[in-house]
């Protein structure tokens, strides 16, 4: 693998691949801002293939693999000393039905195994009256249990990472690498919301981001001993949805693992419906 030193070098390689691959197969859906971040960190590498090329993004525990190959080519020589993770996103289920069988076979032949599939879901925030009623119920529940909701502070970072690591539903491939400064910047930007108990201990948290009129939530996690008894996940989600309504967002979007029955049931109970976008996560370990 060769390290990519600049965005210009990346774009030159990308243009070369587009010329080389007459019928391309690719999962290169990242924005240039995301690509630039990895290049600036020194964490993006590439390797040319027989009929195409691969980009390796170092996530510390594994590499995130972006590929651009011709349909007649194969992915070869992918031994890096770390696990490789590939995410293929399809805009519609019909697109997945059309392409996934062909792409899946190519990945299987390379040694990849499908880890899980996920569905993009959203809540149309015009259901605001129903959502506000839900929030009132959870507010009373939190008050009764001596819990409160607040944005995370910088001193909460270590506890948040520990809580996330202890959450059994998460895979290491769910999260991209961030250094301490990046986490602290997100905390200062109020992108993490948590639930605390009466001793000011972090019991649950969620990461949020936004663009235009869309609010996105990711990585909701709850301390195991509070999961069933208090419903902190639902209370936190209810707060985030109400916050999105007050911020004049039009919808709230989240990804849900397709095979996770409890997660699917939870999202549907909160009013989530599928957008049609689906993703398959593949791993070579």
């Amino acid at each position: 693998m060769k390290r990519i030193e600049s965005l210009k070098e990346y774009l030159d390689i990308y243009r070369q691949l587009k010329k080389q691959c007459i019928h391309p197969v690719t999962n290169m859906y990242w924005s240039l801002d995301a690509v630039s971040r990895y290049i600036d960190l020194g964490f993006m590498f590439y390797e040319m293939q027989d009929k195409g090329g691969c980009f390796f993004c170092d996530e510390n525990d594994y590499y995130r693999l972006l590929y651009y190959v011709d349909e007649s080519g194969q992915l070869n020589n992918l031994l890096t000393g770390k696990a490789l993770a590939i995410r293929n996103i399809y805009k519609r289920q019909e697109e997945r039905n059309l392409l996934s069988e062909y792409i899946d076979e190519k990945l299987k032949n390379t040694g990849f195994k499908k880890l899980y599939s996920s569905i993009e879901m959203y809540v149309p925030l015009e259901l605001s009256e129903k959502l506000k009623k839900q929030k009132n119920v959870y507010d009373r529940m939190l008050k009764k249990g001596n819990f409160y909701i607040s944005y995370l502070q910088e001193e909460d970072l270590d506890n948040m990472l520990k809580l996330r690591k202890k959450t059994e539903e998460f895979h290491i491939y769910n999260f991209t690498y961030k250094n301490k400064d990046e986490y602290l910047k997100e905390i200062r930007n109020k992108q993490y919301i948590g639930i605390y108990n009466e001793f000011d201990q972090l019991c649950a948290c969620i990461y949020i981001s936004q663009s235009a009129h869309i609010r996105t939530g990711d990585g909701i996690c709850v301390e195991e001993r509070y999961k069933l008894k208090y419903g902190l996940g639902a209370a936190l989600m209810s707060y985030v949805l109400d916050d999105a309504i007050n911020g004049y967002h039009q919808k709230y979007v989240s990804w849900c693992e397709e095979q996770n029955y409890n997660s699917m049931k939870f999202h549907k109970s909160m009013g989530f419906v599928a957008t049609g976008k689906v993703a398959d996560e593949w791993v070579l370990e």
Side-chain angles (χ1 to χ4, degrees):
M1 296 188 300
K2 180 183 177 183
R3 190 190 307 273
I4 296 178
E5 302 294 344
S6 68
L7 183 60
K8 180 182 182 303
E9 182 183 5
Y10 167 84
L11 291 173
D12 287 343
I13 296 169
Y14 183 58
R15 294 187 189 103
Q16 179 184 345
L17 293 174
K18 291 184 72 174
K19 289 180 180 179
Q20 179 184 353
C21 301
I22 299 173
H23 301 290
V25 177
T26 181
N27 69 339
M28 293 182 62
Y29 52 85
W30 282 12
S31 68
L32 287 182
D33 285 342
V35 170
S36 294
R37 173 180 170 270
Y38 280 87
I39 293 173
D40 292 342
L41 288 170
F43 287 178
M44 179 169 271
F45 306 83
Y46 79 95
E47 189 172 90
M48 300 307 292
Q49 297 284 309
D50 176 38
K51 294 182 179 179
C54 294
F55 296 88
F56 302 82
C57 303
D58 194 347
E59 303 288 8
N60 196 32
D61 293 320
Y62 67 98
Y63 286 107
R64 174 69 58 184
L65 180 64
L66 307 178
Y67 60 85
Y68 197 106
V69 297
D70 192 80
E71 65 177 8
S72 62
Q74 286 289 341
L75 299 173
N76 299 308
N77 303 318
L78 298 178
L79 298 177
T80 62
K82 292 184 182 181
L84 297 175
I86 286 178
R87 194 177 201 209
N88 291 325
I89 296 180
Y90 304 98
K91 294 180 180 178
R92 299 177 306 280
Q93 183 64 49
E94 294 80 5
E95 182 185 38
R96 184 199 209 180
N97 295 340
L98 182 66
L99 297 175
S100 65
E101 183 175 352
Y102 168 76
I103 295 175
D104 292 0
E105 189 65 28
K106 189 180 288 289
L107 293 177
K108 287 177 183 177
N109 289 339
T110 311
F112 280 87
K113 295 181 180 179
K114 185 182 286 188
L115 186 63
Y116 63 89
S117 299
S118 53
I119 301 171
E120 186 184 64
M121 306 185 78
Y122 81 103
V123 175
L125 295 179
E126 58 265 24
L127 303 175
S128 57
E129 288 305 314
K130 177 183 176 181
L131 294 173
K132 285 184 179 296
K133 288 180 181 178
Q134 285 181 328
K135 182 177 181 297
N136 291 336
V137 172
Y138 290 119
D139 282 348
R140 291 194 294 271
M141 183 199 71
L142 290 177
K143 186 176 181 180
K144 185 177 180 180
N146 293 317
F147 296 100
Y148 66 93
I149 294 180
S150 175
Y151 290 106
L152 266 65
Q153 302 299 311
E154 292 186 24
E155 57 267 27
D156 293 318
L157 176 57
D158 288 343
N159 288 332
M160 183 273 287
L161 294 176
K162 289 177 183 177
L163 179 57
R164 183 183 281 183
K165 191 172 183 178
K166 288 191 297 183
T167 302
E168 294 181 355
E169 292 83 357
F170 292 156
H171 308 279
I172 63 169
Y173 311 108
N174 286 134
F175 300 104
T176 58
Y177 169 80
K178 295 174 186 175
N179 60 37
K180 184 175 182 178
D181 288 340
E182 289 177 311
Y183 276 120
L184 292 176
K185 181 179 179 180
E186 290 176 338
I187 289 175
R188 288 191 290 269
N189 289 339
K190 297 184 177 181
Q191 290 181 256
Y192 291 92
I193 299 176
I195 294 181
Y196 299 80
N197 63 19
E198 59 186 315
F199 306 107
D200 299 324
Q201 296 170 327
L202 183 65
C203 306
C205 67
I206 187 172
Y207 169 78
I208 56 173
S209 60
Q210 60 189 48
S211 60
H213 297 293
I214 299 175
R215 174 69 67 86
T216 302
D218 188 30
I220 188 168
C221 49
V222 180
E223 184 74 45
E224 191 67 32
R225 58 194 167 120
Y226 294 122
K227 276 185 178 179
L228 298 178
K229 185 174 181 179
Y230 295 100
L232 297 190
L236 187 56
M237 181 67 76
S238 179
Y239 177 89
V240 171
L241 292 175
D242 186 70
D243 187 59
I245 293 169
N246 294 332
Y248 302 102
H249 292 85
Q250 295 175 354
K251 63 180 180 179
Y252 180 92
V253 177
S254 180
W255 284 89
C256 180
E257 192 172 324
E258 195 172 23
Q259 292 80 13
N260 189 330
Y261 171 79
N262 290 333
S263 179
M264 290 291 293
K265 182 180 179 181
F266 165 71
H267 279 79
K268 288 178 180 179
S269 71
M270 299 298 295
F272 281 82
V273 293
T275 67
K277 187 179 289 187
V278 292
D280 295 329
E281 191 83 34
W282 291 79
V283 176
L284 176 63
E285 296 179 318

